[in-house]
Amino acid sequence: MTATTVEQLMLPGQAAAPPGPVDLTAMYVVHHAFRRDLAAFQAAVVGTPVEDRATWRALAARWNKFLDILHKHHTGEDTALWPLLLAKADADGRATLEAMEGEHAEIDPLLSSCTTGFERLTMYADADARDALEVRVVALGEHLARHLAHEERDALVLVQRYLVQDDWDRLENEHFKPAHGPRALPFLVPWSLYQLPAEHLAQIRDSMAGRPMELVWRLFWRRPFERRERIAFRYA
């Protein structure tokens, strides 16, 4: 019996949405949020006055949230998703998956250097430190953009070729979701949905969370998150 082909989500900035039986909505939503955040951080680093330490502290705290989500996302891929696919893939597929791991390793030092830059600017005003952080954030944005596009074009083809929805649900429930406990949801849900095109929200809701979670987001989580975003990115 032929597996059902799921309608895949295609968001602004996304490089590809390979067809297949696995609903990768959650993956594409997270990728959208990573791209959105890096663009916002680049603009904020350029625009925030070096002497406005309150805003730098807000940016540093927001950076740490981004960093935590990205780290857990990459860890889930490296420890669960890529090994599962490596066991099934041909030589070309294995080369793609090994490239994914290598790109993660290239991104990690850039993340560390950006963290150091944000921390430095919370402590004292320094134009040289702000200029250095700008270079690092731009470099990170370029590396991460290339990696996400490579993953969407090539690695997720392997997901659709070798996995079915039950496999993906098991990965989500055993590896990706447990990395974020319930206490993370008031940030994680609005972070995921922020600035998504309105025409995609119904598809995303039905795939990821359902109506009860959407109601909680709209009533309790959305406005506090957006208020904090305005504070951190006030100069972006």
Side-chain angles (χ1 to χ4, degrees):
M1 184 174 67
T2 303
T4 302
T5 298
V6 176
E7 180 184 357
Q8 302 296 328
L9 185 68
M10 190 72 183
L11 293 169
Q14 192 173 314
V22 180
D23 181 358
L24 292 176
T25 295
M27 180 71 80
Y28 296 134
V29 167
V30 168
H31 283 194
H32 176 270
F34 290 150
R35 289 181 169 109
R36 177 206 66 219
D37 272 11
L38 261 298
F41 279 118
Q42 288 178 24
V45 168
V46 172
T48 302
V50 291
E51 67 275 7
D52 188 346
R53 294 183 193 173
T55 300
W56 285 111
R57 286 193 292 271
L59 279 170
R62 180 61 170 78
W63 169 263
N64 287 332
K65 293 280 194 181
F66 163 82
L67 184 67
D68 181 64
I69 296 170
L70 181 61
H71 172 70
K72 289 173 178 175
H73 181 78
H74 281 178
T75 298
E77 291 178 336
D78 288 341
T79 61
L81 178 55
W82 306 148
L84 178 62
L85 292 172
L86 278 166
K88 301 172 181 287
D90 59 16
D92 288 342
R94 288 194 295 273
T96 294
L97 296 167
E98 289 164 2
M100 292 292 104
E101 292 182 345
E103 289 166 15
H104 285 180
E106 292 174 358
I107 288 168
D108 286 344
L110 290 168
L111 291 168
S112 296
S113 66
C114 289
T115 300
T116 300
F118 278 110
E119 290 174 351
R120 183 177 180 186
L121 281 155
T122 66
M123 294 184 289
Y124 56 87
D126 186 326
D128 289 340
R130 197 260 300 275
D131 292 344
L133 179 57
E134 180 186 349
V135 170
R136 293 166 185 164
V137 172
V138 169
L140 173 63
E142 292 172 349
H143 276 73
L144 189 59
R146 286 195 297 269
H147 169 68
L148 294 176
H150 188 190
E151 183 176 315
E152 289 161 356
R153 286 194 307 266
D154 297 322
L156 297 186
V157 169
L158 303 176
V159 170
Q160 301 293 13
R161 183 180 301 164
Y162 295 115
L163 304 185
V164 295
Q165 188 64 44
D166 285 347
D167 298 320
W168 188 258
D169 291 342
R170 190 158 48 251
L171 283 168
E172 286 265 293
N173 292 327
E174 294 179 2
H175 297 280
F176 288 102
K177 288 181 180 178
H180 304 280
R183 294 177 64 182
L185 291 178
F187 178 86
L188 190 62
V189 172
W191 175 85
S192 300
L193 299 178
Y194 187 51
Q195 294 184 346
L196 282 167
E199 63 267 24
H200 295 301
L201 283 178
Q203 179 183 350
I204 292 165
R205 175 201 65 206
D206 293 343
S207 174
M208 292 178 60
R211 292 183 184 276
M213 186 66 76
E214 181 192 24
L215 185 61
V216 173
W217 165 63
R218 290 188 184 278
L219 290 179
F220 301 108
W221 295 343
R222 181 178 184 177
R223 289 182 180 176
F225 173 85
E226 292 179 352
R227 183 169 60 250
R228 291 190 296 270
E229 290 292 281
R230 289 192 294 270
I231 293 170
F233 297 104
R234 61 184 298 189
Y235 298 107

